[in-house]
Amino acid sequence: MGRIREVVDFLKVRKKWWLTPIVVVLLLLSLVLVLTQGSVLAPFIYAIF
């Protein structure tokens, strides 16, 4: 949780709010890859990237 807090503080202090959608999309993609790692869908998801 410390890293998340650091990123949020960085965005607040530096006024880099345009980075927020990029961070959210990267987190969602990494979550999808981790959750589907052992499933039948894994070969299809890896083929997309």
Side-chain angles (χ1 to χ4, degrees), residues 1-42:
M1 292 304 284
R3 298 233 184 229
I4 295 171
R5 189 73 189 145
E6 284 184 37
V7 170
V8 171
D9 288 341
F10 172 78
L11 293 173
K12 283 182 185 176
V13 171
R14 304 280 187 195
K15 307 281 192 251
K16 303 283 185 184
W17 293 112
W18 57 271
L19 284 174
T20 305
I22 297 169
V23 171
V24 169
V25 167
L26 287 175
L27 287 174
L28 289 175
L29 283 175
S30 63
L31 183 67
V32 166
L33 288 175
V34 168
L35 291 177
T36 61
Q37 182 177 3
S39 75
V40 178
L41 297 175

